Amino acid sequence: MAEPQRARPKPTPETQHFWDGTKAGELRLQRCDACAHVYFPPRPFCPSCASRKVSIFKASGRGFLYSYVINHRPAAPGFTPPYAIAVVELDEGPRMMSNIIDCPQTPEALELDMKLEVAFQELDDKITLPVFRPAKG
Amino acid sequence: MRKNQVAVVGAAETTELGIIPNASQLQLHADAALNAIADAGLKLSDIDGFATAVETPQQVCHYLGIKPTWVDGTSVGGCSFMLHVRHAAAAIEAGLCQTVLITHAESGKSMIGKLPRSTPPDSLNGQFEAPYGVYGPPSMFPIPVLRFMKTWGITHEQLASVAVVQREWAAKNPRAMMKDPITVADVLNSRMIAYPFRLLQCCLVTDGGGALILTSADRARDFPRKPVYIMGTGESVETPMVSQMETFNSSRAFKTAGPLAFKEAGIAHKDVDHLMIYDAFAHLPLFGLGDLGFMPYEATGQFIADGNTRPGGKLPLNTNGGGLSYMHSGMYGMYALQESVRQMRGIAPAQVPNAKISVCHGVGGMFAASGTIVFTNER
Ligand SMILES: [Zn+2]
């Protein structure tokens, strides 16, 4: 029997651009053309003012550690505990859930407000996940 | 909604609570319903309104043999039953039905006839949370805690004291699952589940159910039990994705539902004799005390650590032992409501002397939804 796999996202028409972006090494967000609101997760209208005129843009990939847990048990399929499940606040404003790589998964190493930068983790030929690592410098 | 126009006239939990290996989830709904109907001195045929969550109204109504003219299948997680109470009160006042039965049951531990919970990979949660290793409530619900602690200066010891105080209440309750006294050190040395939370800061997983019966306050006078009036109600939802909450320093759903209920009831915080705040995890009472406006967020941890919510304290909180020590089948809101009703009837195992106003505050999902009910035993 194959090892249980990590949950894999399945894009929808509204989110395809995001997953195309991560595959190309870009973190893509959306900005409202009417009110300039930047939002996530993806949708073809502005959740602040309801305008359907919105644009996709490449985000800086920079942010900071907003909060997290270090999950010990039960572990999700495909994960070896303990591992941090983090929420990152992006410089552009939106927050997203992620994992923190290149960093010990300990309370000492994972300091709230630490600067982070995006990295890309290829799950298969269809899906590349955005994850974050401590920012250099 | 006008206050005190509708009352709870029947309330009961399942005959057994805890580990119930000999009944399906659907049968637990029926067991709770039959107990509540007996408590109210009614017949099944008297019920013309019905509400439940997770299971559909048609499933439970057919099983019980009820022919309703009003149903509500609002299913927003563990506080669904607070929303049912609110909706039922409005329906009764509007004349859509006269006597509403609300049921909850969950075979949370034994998993007999339990409906599957799944996250489709093309849902937003499936795309933007599941791939990062969330796996059940313990890995998700505590995600805001570290930010909340940093912003408001809350300590690990204060968060541990929530579990300690609730165990004190549970010790007074023969039906509580966990009754042995614990200390802050016990909590902080218990098995790590999802840092910063350890086993004793996470809810139990049990089987059980409960049911409520509501009717108009005018009719309530003719029932065998002392009526418990619906004084104020509130509800809201925010997001199914914990990562997308507006802030981790508070809950928008709590801040909407709670104050709505206080306003409708026309009460101030000093009027509250008894309080239930759904405690799936140890941080929820702190969010609740702040979001409902009892005190500044900075004060919530010390307030509990100082013993203000323990037996004999000035704000008795989670007097059945809560989801941490009493029981938690998965959707705990019904048990919080049952305890508020018992306190207002004056029959709780750990009765608060002369309690006249009880506030019962629920959460659904991971801060995804909220419902608040203010009860009183005086009209
Ligand atoms: Zn806009």
Side-chain angles (χ1 to χ4, degrees):
Chain A
M1 204 171 80
E3 285 291 303
Q5 275 197 341
R6 178 177 182 149
R8 270 170 170 63
K10 185 176 169 194
T12 62
E14 300 81 24
T15 64
Q16 188 64 52
H17 70 266
F18 180 87
W19 297 112
D20 290 345
T22 54
K23 212 175 156 190
E26 291 185 4
L27 185 67
R28 293 179 183 167
L29 293 173
Q30 286 168 300
R31 183 186 287 114
C32 175
D33 295 344
C35 78
H37 180 56
V38 177
Y39 62 89
F40 176 87
R43 68 208 90 164
F45 63 93
C46 171
S48 185
C49 78
S51 169
R52 291 175 188 261
K53 292 199 169 67
V54 296
S55 302
I56 296 164
F57 70 99
K58 181 187 169 187
S60 67
R62 287 190 298 269
F64 69 88
L65 183 56
Y66 184 60
S67 201
Y68 67 91
V69 294
I70 303 172
N71 198 39
H72 286 247
R73 64 192 316 279
F79 282 80
T80 307
Y83 61 94
I85 305 167
V87 174
V88 178
E89 182 165 319
L90 302 171
D91 283 1
E92 290 82 1
R95 296 194 194 109
M96 56 189 301
M97 190 175 277
S98 199
N99 296 128
I100 309 299
I101 62 166
D102 300 341
C103 181
Q105 306 289 290
T106 63
E108 294 72 28
L110 292 162
E111 268 190 80
L112 287 200
D113 300 315
M114 68 193 283
K115 299 281 186 206
L116 300 167
E117 63 188 23
V118 75
F120 295 96
Q121 201 170 352
E122 191 182 308
L123 290 190
D124 56 31
D125 56 2
K126 287 197 185 73
I127 293 293
T128 295
L129 278 184
V131 295
F132 286 79
R133 64 161 66 98
K136 294 180 190 81
Chain B
M1 210 154 59
R2 295 181 306 152
K3 68 180 190 181
N4 301 344
Q5 300 302 304
V6 170
V8 175
V9 293
E13 293 171 347
T14 43
T15 310
E16 307 287 330
L17 277 186
I19 299 169
I20 314 173
N22 58 349
S24 68
Q25 181 160 298
L26 187 55
Q27 176 56 27
L28 293 174
H29 275 264
D31 183 51
L34 296 175
N35 285 345
I37 283 165
D39 182 67
L42 289 172
K43 302 187 297 292
L44 274 170
S45 56
D46 296 321
I47 304 297
D48 62 354
F50 181 81
T52 196
V54 179
E55 296 282 358
T56 58
Q58 58 266 41
Q59 181 75 264
V60 182
C61 283
H62 174 255
Y63 192 66
L64 276 166
I66 290 171
K67 302 181 183 81
T69 58
W70 176 88
V71 298
D72 179 10
T74 301
S75 196
V76 294
C79 65
S80 298
F81 317 101
M82 282 79 173
L83 276 68
H84 294 157
V85 167
R86 186 172 204 240
H87 302 171
I92 290 165
E93 262 227 272
L96 302 181
C97 51
Q98 282 204 319
T99 310
V100 174
L101 169 67
I102 303 169
T103 68
H104 154 72
E106 194 159 1
S107 184
K109 176 77 176 175
S110 301
M111 311 276 272
I112 306 168
K114 184 177 154 75
L115 303 173
R117 289 188 188 184
S118 70
T119 304
D122 50 0
S123 65
L124 291 177
N125 288 70
Q127 292 180 71
F128 300 111
E129 291 198 341
Y132 297 108
V134 297
Y135 201 59
S139 66
M140 287 187 272
F141 223 149
I143 286 176
V145 175
L146 289 176
R147 174 57 55 181
F148 185 87
M149 291 173 74
K150 179 164 182 174
T151 301
W152 303 120
I154 304 296
T155 67
H156 291 282
E157 288 74 16
Q158 288 169 352
L159 275 166
S161 73
V162 173
V164 173
V165 170
Q166 291 192 198
R167 189 61 65 83
E168 286 188 53
W169 285 110
K172 296 171 173 291
N173 190 340
R175 268 164 71 94
M177 186 88 173
M178 308 296 277
K179 293 192 269 287
D180 295 339
I182 52 173
T183 65
V184 166
D186 291 335
V187 177
L188 294 178
N189 289 319
S190 63
R191 197 169 66 205
M192 187 66 85
I193 300 294
Y195 175 85
F197 277 177
R198 295 170 180 271
L199 182 67
L200 293 175
Q201 290 164 302
C202 304
C203 64
L204 306 167
V205 181
T206 60
D207 305 321
L212 294 169
I213 297 173
L214 277 68
T215 195
S216 70
D218 291 336
R219 292 183 70 222
R221 282 193 293 261
D222 304 326
F223 281 77
R225 305 286 183 203
K226 181 176 174 178
V228 177
Y229 302 100
I230 312 300
M231 197 182 194
T233 63
E235 66 185 282
S236 193
V237 295
E238 185 176 355
T239 168
M241 303 171 76
V242 67
S243 64
Q244 298 305 312
M245 290 172 68
E246 273 182 10
T247 171
F248 286 173
N249 297 328
S250 61
S251 157
R252 193 187 80 194
F254 282 20
K255 282 188 292 190
T256 305
L260 261 176
F262 273 74
K263 191 174 172 215
E264 195 172 278
I267 58 165
H269 294 88
K270 63 172 170 43
D271 301 325
V272 177
D273 301 309
H274 171 251
L275 178 60
M276 298 297 290
I277 299 175
Y278 188 135
D279 58 319
F281 293 88
H283 56 318
L284 293 179
L286 277 64
F287 275 76
L289 287 172
D291 289 335
L292 269 57
F294 281 93
M295 63 199 69
Y297 297 97
E298 298 91 318
T300 54
Q302 196 60 44
F303 185 79
I304 290 175
D306 283 347
N308 290 298
T309 60
R310 66 186 293 274
K314 64 181 172 192
L315 185 58
L317 170 67
N318 293 342
T319 51
N320 58 354
L324 296 179
S325 287
Y326 178 58
M327 81 86 66
H328 195 295
S329 57
M331 298 173 74
Y332 168 79
M334 175 57 81
Y335 309 95
L337 291 165
Q338 294 285 336
E339 175 65 8
S340 280
V341 170
R342 284 191 293 264
Q343 289 286 348
M344 291 297 92
R345 286 175 167 184
I347 59 164
Q351 181 63 40
V352 175
N354 304 313
K356 294 183 176 60
I357 292 179
S358 172
V359 171
C360 191
H361 179 73
V363 69
M366 321 299 145
F367 294 110
S370 186
T372 313
I373 305 295
V374 182
F375 292 103
T376 184
N377 48 24
E378 291 184 331
R379 201 180 174 191

